[in-house]
């Protein structure tokens, strides 16, 4: 492969940007997955002082207390994370596919959870 003078710098610059994008993607997906784990670990407490900052609310969403009470009544728990990827519509959102159990019975299909970055951290939207 012959590289013309001046194009080497463009190639290196492109490679650097690609590496930065990959590391940024990985850090976002890891943060989103960790938020999902922390949310489900804290769910049994029903403590919105802890859960509120992890839960996307507002607009048409129910308040934390109501949403958490309903999730707790249905015995929702995290079995595991299947995969996560950036939401192509929003660079500050990650789609997390997670196996969820309801009253101990694991759902046949993974749930799709949208985890959004807001000021102050990542929040799960159900």
């Amino acid at each position: 492969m012959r590289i013309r003078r001046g194009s080497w710098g463009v190639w290196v610059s492109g490679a650097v940007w690609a590496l930065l994008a990959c590391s940024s993607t990985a850090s976002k997906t890891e943060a989103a997955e960790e938020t999902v784990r922390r949310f489900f670990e804290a769910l049994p407490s029903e403590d919105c002082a802890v859960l509120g900052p992890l839960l996307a609310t507002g607009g048409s969403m129910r308040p934390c207390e109501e949403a958490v009470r309903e999730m707790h009544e249905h015995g929702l728990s995290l079995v595991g994370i299947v995969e996560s990827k950036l939401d192509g519509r929003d660079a500050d959102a990650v789609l997390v596919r997670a196996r969820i159990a309801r009253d101990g019975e694991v759902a046949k299909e993974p749930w799709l959870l949208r985890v959004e970055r807001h000021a102050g951290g990542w929040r799960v939207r159900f």
Side-chain angles (χ1 to χ4, degrees):
M1 175 169 127
R2 264 186 84 150
I3 299 176
R4 292 187 308 168
R5 177 178 262 178
S7 61
W8 176 251
V10 171
W11 183 87
V12 169
S13 176
V16 168
W17 279 109
L19 285 172
L20 289 174
C22 287
S23 66
S24 175
T25 298
S27 66
K28 287 179 181 179
T29 56
E30 289 169 8
E33 289 178 9
E34 182 57 28
T35 299
V36 170
R37 285 186 192 97
R38 284 195 339 245
F39 180 85
F40 279 99
E41 286 171 4
L43 184 58
S45 73
E46 296 185 64
D47 183 359
C48 279
V50 174
L51 293 162
L54 302 172
L55 183 63
T57 57
S60 64
M61 300 298 296
R62 292 175 300 185
C64 178
E65 293 79 9
E66 187 178 320
V68 166
R69 183 176 51 251
E70 184 177 327
M71 287 182 221
H72 191 263
E73 286 173 359
H74 291 294
L76 296 186
S77 62
L78 177 67
V79 175
I81 305 246
V82 176
E83 72 171 341
S84 60
K85 61 183 179 178
L86 289 181
D87 183 339
R89 302 166 294 178
D90 183 351
D92 285 329
V94 174
L95 300 175
V96 177
R97 289 182 56 223
R99 290 235 173 259
I100 305 293
R102 181 176 176 175
D103 293 326
E105 188 172 327
V106 179
K108 291 181 180 168
E109 295 296 322
W111 285 30
L112 184 63
L113 305 173
R114 181 179 162 94
V115 185
E116 306 164 347
R117 183 167 44 188
H118 293 270
W122 291 87
R123 296 174 178 240
V124 182
R125 180 173 301 278
F126 286 88

